[in-house]
Structures are given as structure tokens and as C-alpha cells.
């Protein structure tokens, strides 16, 4: 069991962190409690794994006592109040104006990128493994001010739950990640302590109320939970996003905003490479029967179809009612055109507000693909699963990587960033998804010709295939696997754990469970 403590005035952060922990650790293992309940639990002999968000200093003395319990773990997120800062040999001050400016960046120019001057740089701690991202900007764009092909969200400096909480100075040997400006260290972003003076257990801290929940740095949190200090410290199983037996997993799609049939040559290239293909369709395009043919051909060849709304309206039409109709009409149009009933949707412009999640759930969808650095920050998730504020049985998967001609870098390797994005996903054991769009008379998404586009796709796939034992699946198979993962029930049996798959699981791929540094296959039930 993981115990979550958070002051009431930071309830949005608690909701987002609890949702992130559940996506990693399964249903039923995260319990939000009061400080009084936590004090009561400390009087019991059981070891505790706790997550504490920006505690007030009035909690400080008790939390410091908790740091002295043998075998416990504490994940601290956000503010370090004076009592805790003193125990951790930290000096905390407010985030100054220079850092607020340095955490921002301009829109990206075509064929290039834009990065904030303020960056995060990670050190290596063997207890936590290697960070999937060794160095990153607090904010970066690959296309105007819309998306980040490396997949992570923004670490802001605006006082929000997505922002730096403080400027913090730590002893150098305790710094897991530092904030750097102009080559100089200006603050710690993460710290790690184990068996230190006044600390008998182990503590991991991130300088942000929601931690790295929107980045593959979340892998460090999973390693802390499942492996660090095993067996002397309390550990909790983590559900891998990669099916058992594979080193990485990949899915792709085309979002057919305008012209479905123009994607035929690219689909044929994927057929030749034996890589599954997916199309996201919306009803407006399907008004012309010529666009039905490729959709049917993709299905017959073993590919996947998804819904991409009825009209491609921004923000799903701006309301629950509009979003419900966008989802309903799109699903009905796809059935009429192809005979296929879609179960998963793709968000237009990657915008996925809470009311749209509710509307899609009520329209019968089982999940949605979205996630982008620009908007709806809580839907940009390091791990697939139930999004914050959503009903069980509806999942989200963040796929921010857009393989567009606009983003091909100038220089010797146009695909450099895409290779880096896949590398981050592989190290973090996240299910990697990327997308493109078919051409239209109006727009070609930065590609000069279809031949150029096919060459870049083929080069990228060839690179991925060379990186080990890689699974390629279409979007429906990927989402089915991730949906099954989100329904795994985890229960505590003393200090052991029982994990059970849902009886309604669809995917034939084996789930993988990580515990104590070992990956175990989950076929139906597993006792750890």
C-alpha cells in the first residue's frame, strides 16, 4: 500500500499524483490519508511507503520522525518546509524572476526546435537506475508553440502545481537533478537520501508538487517504489508498460484530417516493411465515398481504425454536449463506411479537456489518445491508464511525437530527435507512439514529396528495428493491452502482493510486473 498525504489546498496536485501512482501500481494500492492517520500508522510495526506533497511546516516534526523509521520510504514532492529542509541539509528560497523568465522559450522555427535557457540535468544513483532523460529543457517546442517530440511536459515557474516550488541548495552528493542556467547550477530539482544522519530510511524529492508525472523521468519514481533498497526497504510492484519478453513496444497512426486516400502509398510502404498501420478517421472526411476504400483495405490487411471526431472541432466543440455528439457521430459514420465499431478516439489538436473525457466515456468509448505540452497538462501522462478525473474503464495514452516534415532537422541526421524520443521510451519502458497526417490539396505537413516522407518513415522504422527485440502493434492492439493493464487488481497480503488480471482482458500479450529488480510475467494471477 502507498499512503498519500497532501494539504487540502493542493487537492488538484493530490488527484494528479494519485492517478499517476495508480497507473504505475495498479488499482487498489494508493490510499490518500490525513496526517493524523499517518501518525497512527507510524505507531504500528509495518513498513510504510509514503508520498507527501508540499507539507506545511506543522507536519515537519512528524515527517522527520517518519524519516527515522527503518525500512520505510518517503517520496517528497514540492515545497520543503523549514523543519524538513534542515533535516535534509537543504536551504530553500523563493523562485526568483530570473528563473521565471529562463523557464520560458519562444515558438520553434521550421526545421528546428526551441528550448528554454533553464535546463534540468540528472546525475546517476545506482539505487534508482539511469534517468531516461539525462538533460532536458524546462520547456521545449518542435513546432511553433504546440508540441514537444521528446514527449515531456513543461516544468514551469508560474507558481502552479506544474511549477518549481522553490530554489533549493543541497549538498552536491545528494543532488539527483539540478537546474542549470548558462552552465551554472542555480537550484536542485531532485534529491535522494538513504541511510543518512537523522535519516534511517530512504527519501526521494522532486521540486514540483506533481513531480515528474508528465515525463519519462517518472521511471525514477517507479524504480524508487519497486526496487530501491530491496529487500531491506519496503517495495511495491510496478506494472510495466511493455509486454513481457520485449525490450520496447511501438505503435503508429495517421490522423486523417482531410484526405484518407492520399495515404495509400505510405500504407503500402508499411505493408512492405511488415509494420502494423492505423488510421484515425472523422466523419466529415468520410462524407466522400472515395475515402472509404483505404479504410476498408487497412482493416482487411489487419490494421486499425480509430475515431478522430465528427468535425475536428477545437476542444471537442467546447462543451460536454458538443463532445458527446462529436464522438457519437464519428463512431456511427465509421460503422456506416467500414462496418467497424471504433472503441478508441484520437483528440483533435491533442486537446483533451475533462468534459471531453466524460463525454467520450458516456458515448461508449474505452479510451482516448492525446497528450501535448501546450494544453490539458494533466492528460500528458508518463504512463497510460485512467486519466485524472475520469471513470474507471476509460484510459488515456499520451502520444506527442509527430513525425512531420516540418520537424525534420537540418544537418546530417534529420531524424535525430525522433531517434532520441524512441531511446527515451525504451529506457523508461514506455509504450512509444508516433503519428503523421496524410497529404491534402491544402497542406503537406512540411513534407516536400511523398517519396521523401516514405523514406523518412522507412529510415526511422529501420533504426527502431535495430535496437533490440521490439514489438510493433497497431493502435487498437496497443490500447487493448494498456486497457488490460489499467484493470489489474493489486491487493496486499501482509508484506506480499497478489496481482490479478481482469476476466474481460482482450490482449493476448503478457503483462509484465516489476518487483525487487526482477520482471515477472502476469498470465492470470501472480503472488509476490
Amino acid at each position: 500500500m502507498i499512503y498519500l498525504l497532501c494539504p487540502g489546498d493542493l487537492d488538484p496536485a493530490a488527484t494528479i499524483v494519485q492517478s499517476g501512482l495508480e497507473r504505475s501500481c495498479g488499482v487498489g494500492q494508493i490510499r490518500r490519508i490525513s496526517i493524523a492517520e499517518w501518525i497512527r500508522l507510524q505507531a504500528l510495526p509495518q513498513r510504510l511507503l509514503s508520498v507527501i506533497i508540499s507539507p506545511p511546516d506543522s507536519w515537519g516534526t512528524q515527517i522527520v520522525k517518519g524519516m527515522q523509521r527503518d525500512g520505510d520510504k518517503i517520496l517528497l514532492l514540492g515545497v520543503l518546509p523549514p523543519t524538513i529542509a534542515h533535516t535534509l541539509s537543504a536551504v530553500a528560497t523563493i523562485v526568483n524572476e530570473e528563473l521565471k523568465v529562463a523557464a520560458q522559450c519562444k515558438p520553434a522555427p521550421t526545421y528546428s526546435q526551441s528550448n528554454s535557457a533553464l535546463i534540468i540535468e540528472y546525475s546517476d544513483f545506482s539505487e534508482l537506475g539511469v534517468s531516461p532523460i539525462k538533460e532536458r529543457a524546462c520547456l521545449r517546442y518542435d513546432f511553433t508553440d504546440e508540441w514537444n517530440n521528446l514527449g515531456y511536459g513543461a516544468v514551469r515557474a508560474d507558481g502552479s502545481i506544474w511549477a518549481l516550488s522553490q530554489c533549493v541548495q543541497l549538498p552536491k552528493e545528494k543532488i539527483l537533478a539540478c537546474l542549470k542556467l548558462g552552465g551554472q547550477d542555480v537550484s536542485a530539482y531532485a534529491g535522494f537520501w538513504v541511510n543518512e544522519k537523522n535519516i534511517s530510511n530512504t527519501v526521494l524529492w522532486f521540486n514540483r508538487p506533481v513531480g515528474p508525472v508528465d515525463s519519462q523521468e517518472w521511471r525514477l519514481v517507479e524504480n524508487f517504489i519497486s526496487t530501491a533498497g530491496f529487500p531491506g526497504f519496503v517495495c511495491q510492484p510496478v506494472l510495466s508498460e511493455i509486454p513481457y519478453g520485449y525490450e520496447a513496444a511501438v505503435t503508429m497512426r495517421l490522423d486523417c484530417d482531410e484526405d484518407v486516400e492520399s495515404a495509400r502509398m505510405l500504407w503500402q510502404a508499411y505493408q512492405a516493411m511488415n509494420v502494423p498501420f492505423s488510421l484515425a478517421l472523422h466523419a466529415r472526411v468520410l462524407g466522400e465515398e472515395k475515402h472509404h476504400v483505404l479504410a476498408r483495405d487497412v482493416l482487411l490487411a489487419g490494421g486499425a481504425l480509430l475515431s478522430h471526431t465528427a468535425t475536428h472541432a477545437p476542444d471537442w466543440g467546447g462543451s460536454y454536449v458538443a463532445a458527446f455528439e462529436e464522438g457519437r457521430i464519428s463512431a456511427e459514420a465509421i460503422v456506416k463506411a467500414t462496418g467497424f465499431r471504433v472503441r478508441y478516439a484520437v483528440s483533435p489538436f491533442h486537446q483533451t479537456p475533462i468534459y471531453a473525457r466524460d463525454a467520450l466515456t458516456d458515448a461508449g468509448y474505452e479510451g482516448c489518445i492525446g497528450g501535448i505540452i501546450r494544453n490539458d497538462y494533466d492528460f500528458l501522462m508518463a504512463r497510460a491508464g485512467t486519466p485524472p478525473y475520469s471513470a474507471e474503464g476509460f484510459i488515456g495514452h499520451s502520444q506527442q511525437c509527430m513525425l512531420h516534415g516540418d520537424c525534420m532537422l537540418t544537418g546530417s541526421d534529420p531524424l535525430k530527435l525522433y531517434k532520441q524520443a524512441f531511446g527515451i521510451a525504451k529506457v523508461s519502458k514506455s509504450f512509444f507512439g508516433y503519428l503523421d497526417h496524410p497529404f491534402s490539396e491544402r497542406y503537406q505537413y512540411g513534407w516536400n514529396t511523398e517519396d521523401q516522407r516514405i523514406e523518412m518513415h522507412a529510415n526511422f522504422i529501420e533504426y527502431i528495428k535495430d535496437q533490440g527485440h521490439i514489438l510493433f502493434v497497431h493502435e487498437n492492439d496497443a490500447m487493448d493491452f494498456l486497457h488490460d493493464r489499467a484493470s489489474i487488481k493489486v491487493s496486499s497480503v501482509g508484506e506480499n502482493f497478489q496481482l490479478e488480471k481482469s476476466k474481460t482482458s482482450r490482449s493476448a500479450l503478457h503483462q509484465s510486473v516489476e518487483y525487487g529488480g526482477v520482471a515477472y510475467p502476469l498470465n492470470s494471477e501472480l503472488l509476490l
Side-chain angles (χ1 to χ4, degrees):
M1 182 68 68
I2 298 175
Y3 298 98
L4 174 63
L5 291 83
C6 181
D9 60 349
L10 283 173
D11 186 71
T15 299
I16 288 163
V17 171
Q18 181 168 354
S19 178
L21 292 168
E22 287 174 342
R23 289 192 296 272
S24 288
C25 299
V27 177
Q29 282 299 293
I30 319 301
R31 181 180 165 200
R32 186 175 176 186
I33 61 173
S34 67
I35 183 65
E37 176 68 5
W38 194 64
I39 292 170
R40 188 191 70 80
L41 289 171
Q42 284 186 320
L44 302 177
Q46 71 187 76
R47 298 182 298 178
L48 303 179
L49 202 168
S50 306
V51 179
I52 306 175
I53 302 173
S54 292
D57 198 43
S58 61
W59 295 6
T61 299
Q62 195 62 46
I63 292 172
V64 169
K65 287 182 180 179
M67 292 178 180
Q68 297 164 2
R69 283 171 49 95
D70 292 337
D72 283 13
K73 289 181 185 174
I74 298 177
L75 172 61
L76 280 173
L77 303 174
V79 169
L80 295 178
T83 303
I84 294 174
H86 176 75
T87 301
L88 299 177
S89 300
V91 177
T93 56
I94 63 170
V95 177
N96 59 47
E97 290 301 319
E98 182 182 22
L99 295 192
K100 292 179 182 179
V101 173
Q104 303 175 42
C105 72
K106 295 179 180 180
T110 305
Y111 309 125
S112 187
Q113 57 188 287
S114 179
N115 293 276
S116 64
L118 189 62
I119 66 170
I120 300 170
E121 184 177 274
Y122 278 87
S123 303
D124 290 337
F125 281 78
S126 58
E127 299 92 335
L128 298 175
V130 175
S131 174
I133 306 174
K134 295 293 291 181
E135 183 181 301
R136 55 157 288 183
C138 285
L139 175 63
R140 76 180 303 278
Y141 296 121
D142 286 292
F143 179 77
T144 66
D145 59 352
E146 292 188 25
W147 70 74
N148 169 14
N149 281 325
L150 296 184
Y152 53 76
V155 175
R156 304 183 184 274
D158 57 6
S160 70
I161 61 174
W162 305 97
L164 300 170
S165 295
Q166 298 167 308
C167 283
V168 176
Q169 305 305 316
L170 292 178
K172 186 175 181 180
E173 65 274 14
K174 307 305 174 196
I175 297 176
L176 172 62
C178 63
L179 290 157
K180 304 189 80 166
L181 181 60
Q184 301 297 313
D185 295 358
V186 293
S187 172
Y189 177 66
F192 183 66
W193 297 260
V194 58
N195 287 332
E196 307 292 336
K197 182 180 179 182
N198 299 324
I199 303 174
S200 298
N201 59 21
T202 180
V203 177
L204 174 62
W205 164 74
F206 282 90
N207 191 357
R208 194 177 184 226
V210 295
V213 71
D214 56 351
S215 171
Q216 295 309 329
E217 298 145 87
W218 183 256
R219 181 64 181 168
L220 297 172
V221 173
E222 291 184 331
N223 289 345
F224 178 74
I225 288 171
S226 69
T227 300
F230 182 85
F233 291 89
V234 60
C235 289
Q236 181 85 21
V238 161
L239 308 175
S240 176
E241 235 186 41
I242 303 303
Y244 186 79
Y246 293 93
E247 295 177 65
V250 181
T251 187
M252 67 77 63
R253 71 177 194 277
L254 294 187
D255 288 352
C256 301
D257 296 353
E258 298 185 46
D259 189 344
V260 180
E261 187 58 35
S262 71
R264 183 169 293 277
M265 287 179 62
L266 185 61
W267 169 64
Q268 290 170 340
Y270 269 73
Q271 288 285 96
M273 293 183 286
N274 195 31
V275 175
F277 199 77
S278 305
L279 295 176
L281 308 171
H282 65 86
R284 185 180 60 191
V285 174
L286 294 176
E288 298 182 64
E289 290 191 9
K290 68 178 182 179
H291 296 304
H292 301 182
V293 181
L294 180 61
R296 293 169 181 162
D297 289 347
V298 167
L299 276 179
L300 288 171
L305 301 182
L306 305 95
S307 167
H308 197 32
T309 77
T311 67
H312 205 260
D315 285 314
W316 287 87
S319 70
Y320 167 90
V321 172
F324 181 90
E325 289 301 300
E326 286 282 338
R328 181 188 66 80
I329 292 170
S330 176
E332 290 177 356
I334 293 171
V335 168
K336 184 177 179 181
T338 68
F340 181 77
R341 178 71 187 181
V342 293
R343 292 181 285 112
Y344 300 109
V346 174
S347 293
F349 309 106
H350 281 220
Q351 295 166 336
T352 320
I354 294 170
Y355 63 76
R357 305 168 210 173
D358 292 340
L360 288 171
T361 301
D362 294 344
Y365 287 84
E366 297 179 26
C368 183
I369 297 167
I372 197 168
I373 198 170
R374 185 180 192 178
N375 48 257
D376 306 314
Y377 306 146
D378 66 326
F379 200 82
L380 182 52
M381 304 174 292
R383 292 288 173 265
T386 306
Y389 309 104
S390 299
E392 185 177 329
F394 180 87
I395 69 164
H397 190 211
S398 298
Q399 297 179 19
Q400 190 178 186
C401 187
M402 305 199 202
L403 189 57
H404 283 174
D406 296 302
C407 302
M408 293 293 110
L409 297 180
T410 54
S412 60
D413 189 0
L415 290 166
K416 179 180 177 180
L417 278 173
Y418 295 100
K419 294 174 182 178
Q420 187 178 348
F422 171 75
I424 290 170
K426 183 182 178 186
V427 173
S428 64
K429 296 186 182 297
S430 58
F431 213 119
F432 180 63
Y434 67 94
L435 70 140
D436 197 355
H437 290 75
F439 286 177
S440 72
E441 294 180 2
R442 182 186 67 87
Y443 194 44
Q444 294 189 175
Y445 298 89
W447 297 109
N448 296 321
T449 64
E450 187 67 64
D451 288 342
Q452 180 215 13
R453 186 238 288 272
I454 290 173
E455 180 184 7
M456 289 298 103
H457 276 254
N459 289 347
F460 188 39
I461 289 169
E462 182 180 4
Y463 172 83
I464 291 173
K465 286 182 174 180
D466 286 342
Q467 302 309 303
H469 187 39
I470 313 299
L471 172 71
F472 288 87
V473 294
H474 62 58
E475 289 282 11
N476 286 342
D477 282 350
M479 293 293 280
D480 281 348
F481 172 81
L482 296 171
H483 199 285
D484 290 351
R485 176 180 173 275
S487 65
I488 293 172
K489 306 291 184 183
V490 183
S491 54
S492 300
V493 184
E495 289 207 353
N496 296 319
F497 301 91
Q498 184 171 6
L499 297 92
E500 184 177 1
K501 285 179 63 176
S502 169
K503 292 180 172 57
T504 59
S505 294
R506 285 195 181 96
S507 177
L509 297 166
H510 290 314
Q511 301 286 338
S512 181
V513 180
E514 298 175 330
Y515 182 65
V518 178
Y520 301 89
L522 173 61
N523 297 324
S524 55
E525 292 189 20
L526 178 65
L527 185 65
L528 295 171

